[in-house]
Amino acid sequence: NHNHHNKKLFRQTPIERITQEELEMHSAHIWCMSPPCQPHTRQHSNQQCEIDDPRSKSFLHLCDMIGSMEESTLPCLVLLENVVGFELSGTAVDDDAQTPQSTDESELNQQNHIRRGSFQTWREVLSKRDYRVAHFHLDPTDLGLPNARPRHYTVAFRPGSLHAKLKDDSISTQLKATESLASNNYDNLFTEEMLNKPPIIHGPKSFGAAPPTLPCIGDFLDADCKIESSLLRIPEKVWSSSSAWCFDVVTSLHHRSACFTHSYGSFVRGTGSIIYTGPLETESNDSDEVDKNSRKRNRATAFLASTRFDLEAPEARSFDADWSKDIDWENDMRYLSGTEIARLMGFPVSDADDGIDKSFREFSFPSTITVKQQWKLLGNSLNVEVAGKVAEIGIKSLFMQ
């Protein structure tokens, strides 16, 4: 509501309590789904039993709804985002495990439902309702953003369903005009689900995306962080602990950053990058014809020479108990701000003092939320650029049918 100025309030209720009648009443053209990822993450203690996780209930409920809704009310297009590994949910169940015998068909169906996992349930319901489907594994770096956030995406549409829903002549005329935008043909990406075979997972090359040249982190930083410097400063009890070695440290000249999670600022390992803002030494060179890329590389690696710390991902370097002894943590190391992370995640954020008029298309945080709340919201969010590309593929494919 803050960014879209939407005053209409919808019924606030757990998704698993939404009834089939409500969904059929809305008869929405597009469903956008991002079900809880925790049951499918590497940190989950037992991914094989993810379907029993209470956090899977909302997604499984919607799968059941798609399977039973009146055909004319089904969404024309469904877009889903989840962590990489979602497509493996339930597939590692021990085949030798003894399944309780039962002559009751409903019990047998329930047992099979439990064994096959959320993703197989997802594939089955899409197949049952005649959706054409494409699965993707995409990362923001594939589209030119220097931030790692690999995710699984599913795009599913029902051929001809949009035209059937839009029976009004004026809307049909507008639709035909819009079809001219569907210049790219993504039809070769889609197929009907072959449930007896593993899913086909597409990467960026499948839709013609060329390897991008990634910009520097500095291009995404706030013009002035002095106002929030105290809020972004890393507490001494954190940087002085042994776990601080696991920090992923970048500079403004790096072309990468780690995935930001909802635990950024609360935990160290695997929650996102922090930034070194201190001076960067460069190799002296009197020549006026110094290669700019070489200079950048020298500056980016100078941190190693001055502090004995290698700016690689934590898992790629060797532990050194004295790694941070030369770092001025009070002045030269900080967390990234909410707006900086938002830019890395593709949100259209402008600096407050850049003179650009704000519009409903620009993203901002409500003034009432804290920096930590911003981090948590972004950690639970998705990359706008990647999500936009996935939506483009789905919408254009729907128009072409």
Side-chain angles (χ1 to χ4, degrees):
N1 289 344
H2 170 76
N3 285 283
H4 299 285
H5 312 295
N6 187 353
K7 303 300 182 182
K8 183 177 180 180
L9 296 178
F10 296 92
R11 185 169 82 95
Q12 302 296 302
T13 187
I15 289 177
E16 55 267 30
R17 293 184 183 177
I18 297 177
T19 66
Q20 179 177 332
E21 290 73 20
E22 286 181 279
L23 294 173
E24 290 178 339
M25 178 187 65
H26 286 295
S27 189
H29 297 84
I30 301 176
W31 284 14
C32 297
M33 304 169 65
S34 183
C37 65
Q38 292 89 343
H40 315 290
T41 59
R42 290 172 297 175
Q43 289 80 13
H44 194 267
S45 59
N46 194 352
Q47 286 178 271
Q48 298 176 12
C49 296
E50 52 80 30
I51 205 165
D52 295 324
D53 192 307
R55 292 168 292 191
S56 295
K57 286 184 178 180
S58 58
F59 174 66
L60 295 173
H61 175 71
L62 291 179
C63 287
D64 289 340
M65 293 297 97
I66 293 176
S68 59
M69 287 171 63
E70 173 66 34
E71 184 173 1
S72 63
T73 65
L74 285 169
C76 306
L77 173 66
V78 182
L79 306 172
L80 176 140
E81 178 263 1
N82 211 296
V83 292
V84 171
F86 169 69
E87 74 284 359
L88 302 176
S89 59
T91 59
V93 176
D94 184 5
D95 291 333
D96 295 329
Q98 295 297 315
T99 303
Q101 298 297 314
S102 174
T103 57
D104 184 89
E105 184 177 353
S106 63
E107 289 186 20
L108 287 174
N109 288 338
Q110 184 179 15
Q111 292 165 6
N112 291 332
H113 182 70
I114 292 173
R115 286 176 60 81
R116 65 179 178 259
S118 295
F119 184 68
Q120 186 66 8
T121 300
W122 174 234
R123 295 183 69 199
E124 288 177 0
V125 75
L126 294 177
S127 175
K128 174 183 176 182
R129 301 318 298 262
D130 299 321
Y131 281 91
R132 298 203 69 205
V133 182
H135 302 287
F136 300 90
H137 281 177
L138 299 174
D139 188 85
T141 57
D142 297 328
L143 299 181
L145 290 171
N147 179 242
R149 199 177 186 87
R151 290 294 184 268
H152 174 97
Y153 297 89
T154 296
V155 181
F157 71 93
R158 300 185 74 241
S161 60
L162 185 61
H163 295 270
K165 280 196 175 189
L166 301 179
K167 296 178 181 179
D168 184 277
D169 291 338
S170 62
I171 298 179
S172 297
T173 301
Q174 294 176 17
L175 178 59
K176 290 179 180 179
T178 311
E179 285 177 347
S180 62
L181 299 176
S183 56
N184 293 332
N185 188 355
Y186 298 114
D187 189 62
N188 62 313
L189 300 176
F190 290 85
T191 183
E192 294 181 0
E193 288 283 31
M194 304 293 290
L195 300 178
N196 60 338
K197 296 182 180 180
I200 298 173
I201 308 293
H202 298 288
K205 292 183 180 179
S206 62
F207 52 82
T213 300
L214 298 178
C216 295
I217 296 297
D219 295 341
F220 298 82
L221 300 182
D222 294 333
D224 190 352
C225 264
K226 291 181 180 179
I227 297 177
E228 293 185 328
S229 60
S230 61
L231 301 175
L232 302 179
R233 186 176 295 124
I234 300 169
E236 182 178 357
K237 67 178 182 179
V238 176
W239 62 255
S240 62
S241 67
S242 58
S243 63
W245 167 254
C246 297
F247 268 129
D248 184 272
V249 185
V250 298
T251 72
S252 61
L253 297 174
H254 271 74
H255 299 265
R256 67 158 193 89
S257 57
C259 179
F260 295 96
T261 75
H262 72 285
S263 297
Y264 188 67
S266 298
F267 295 93
V268 172
R269 184 176 181 178
T271 60
S273 299
I274 60 174
I275 187 164
Y276 171 77
T277 59
L280 295 171
E281 299 175 358
T282 59
E283 294 181 3
S284 60
N285 195 322
D286 297 331
S287 173
D288 293 334
E289 298 181 357
V290 178
D291 178 72
K292 292 183 178 180
N293 290 329
S294 175
R295 179 183 293 138
K296 285 185 177 182
R297 285 195 298 271
N298 291 339
R299 292 181 66 191
T301 57
F303 193 45
L304 170 62
S306 61
T307 67
R308 306 188 324 126
F309 178 58
D310 196 350
L311 280 182
E312 294 181 304
E315 62 271 13
R317 42 184 159 85
S318 301
F319 179 76
D320 181 356
D322 297 326
W323 72 278
S324 64
K325 70 173 187 177
D326 297 322
I327 298 175
D328 183 352
W329 284 90
E330 292 292 321
N331 299 303
D332 295 342
M333 200 82 85
R334 65 171 177 83
Y335 292 113
L336 274 73
S337 71
T339 50
E340 290 170 337
I341 297 173
R343 290 191 193 97
L344 285 168
M345 295 179 65
F347 288 89
V349 182
S350 297
D351 288 323
D353 57 352
D354 60 7
I356 298 177
D357 292 334
K358 298 293 181 282
S359 70
F360 73 95
R361 291 187 179 276
E362 290 192 348
F363 176 83
S364 65
F365 290 103
S367 58
T368 55
I369 69 172
T370 66
V371 173
K372 285 191 174 182
Q373 288 174 321
Q374 293 175 17
W375 291 339
K376 190 167 185 176
L377 288 170
L378 290 166
N380 288 328
S381 185
L382 44 68
N383 187 282
V384 174
E385 290 287 337
V386 182
K389 184 62 181 180
V390 171
E392 174 194 318
I393 292 173
I395 293 172
K396 287 187 174 182
S397 299
L398 182 63
F399 282 161
M400 292 293 287
Q401 299 295 318

